[in-house]
Amino acid sequence: MPEDNDLWLAGVDGCKAGWAAVIRNLADPASIRLEIVPDFESLVNFSPSLGIIAVDMPIGLPDFISPGGRGPEKAARMHLGDRQSSVFAVPSRAAVYETDYSDACSSAFRTSEPPRKVSKQCFFLFPKIREIDALMTLDLEKRVYEVHPELAFWRLNGEREMSLPKKVKSRANPDGLDQRRDLLVRNGLPKEFLDQPPPKGCGRDDLLDAAANSLIAERIHLGLAAPFPEFPRRDDRGLRMAIWA
């Protein structure tokens, strides 16, 4: 791992344009910038090299979903109160690789106990989940970590869930976004950066989520982050299944 004066890291969130990445050098607060890239491989091969990539996307997909689910979702929801609905249940790898919603539901139903289908919200994430799954290796997981913005905000907020929702009826909630922006400022990120108009294909929520994830990337580097669950299982390819915060 590079020393702090040479460590670049990224907090990443999926967006309509691809991936929104808040990239920072720990030794230089002025280095913070927002990058929009079309594919996740661009971040893995980014220059300067990113020592930690904290991404809001499931990593590690079991062949079969047993009671209790994949593991990280249940462990994260326990801390999120009214915000727990933001953590979607992730189905088996076979279901994630289906490109038709009905086929995905059928596959998920066959590979889970108790049998369950797939939410539409989770199905829309499948292309990005597949993108990461196709790249992930045991070596790459030394740099790439699964995170979740609401668990990140919980951690940064003194282990209390945010009192306001980020969205109301699927539309951005300005008060909830302002609350999260103010929390990020209290945790050291510049307000002017967080208030910038996001580029086309990136929402304000994507920018704030990626910024929160960048702070968890820093915690991971400093050894301050913890996995949820505490003792992660690994999937059938040996990949770790944990949300970090």
Side-chain angles (χ1 to χ4, degrees), residues 180-215:
R180 286 159 177 77
R181 186 254 343 259
D182 293 344
L183 175 62
L184 295 176
V185 171
R186 293 197 298 273
N187 279 271
L189 297 187
K191 183 175 184 295
E192 58 275 15
F193 172 82
L194 299 169
D195 279 340
Q196 68 178 291
K200 184 178 179 180
C202 175
R204 185 184 178 205
D205 58 329
D206 300 321
L207 167 58
L208 295 177
D209 286 352
N213 294 342
S214 80
L215 291 173

Side-chain angles (χ1 to χ4, degrees), residues 36-157:
I36 307 297
V37 299
D39 53 70
F40 194 76
E41 189 172 10
S42 296
L43 293 170
V44 171
N45 298 323
F46 197 80
S47 181
S49 180
L50 300 171
I52 301 289
I53 303 172
V55 58
D56 173 24
M57 203 58 63
I59 298 173
L61 303 169
D63 288 349
F64 189 87
I65 302 294
S66 55
R70 192 176 65 115
E73 292 81 14
K74 182 178 180 180
R77 288 191 197 109
M78 292 173 57
H79 302 282
L80 295 182
D82 292 340
R83 307 282 82 80
Q84 63 181 278
S85 63
S86 65
V87 184
F88 304 139
V90 180
S92 66
R93 179 172 276 113
V96 167
Y97 275 82
E98 298 286 2
T99 57
D100 175 81
Y101 180 65
S102 296
D103 291 342
C105 285
S106 297
S107 183
F109 198 83
R110 291 193 304 269
T111 55
S112 59
E113 180 58 44
R116 63 184 302 167
K117 297 182 180 180
V118 180
S119 72
K120 273 286 179 68
Q121 297 98 319
C122 189
F123 176 74
F124 293 140
L125 298 177
F126 282 6
K128 283 185 164 56
I129 299 175
R130 292 194 294 265
E131 193 178 333
I132 294 181
D133 189 59
L135 291 171
M136 282 303 297
T137 63
L138 293 179
D139 188 58
L140 189 56
E141 76 170 19
K142 297 172 186 175
R143 292 200 292 140
V144 178
Y145 291 76
E146 177 183 348
V147 296
H148 191 283
E150 287 306 306
L151 194 65
F153 288 121
W154 166 84
R155 178 70 85 191
L156 299 170
N157 194 38

Side-chain angles (χ1 to χ4, degrees), residues 164-166 171-181 204:
L164 298 175
K166 192 163 50 182
R171 301 175 76 90
N173 175 26
D175 291 340
L177 294 177
D178 286 348
Q179 184 187 56
R180 286 159 177 77
R181 186 254 343 259
R204 185 184 178 205

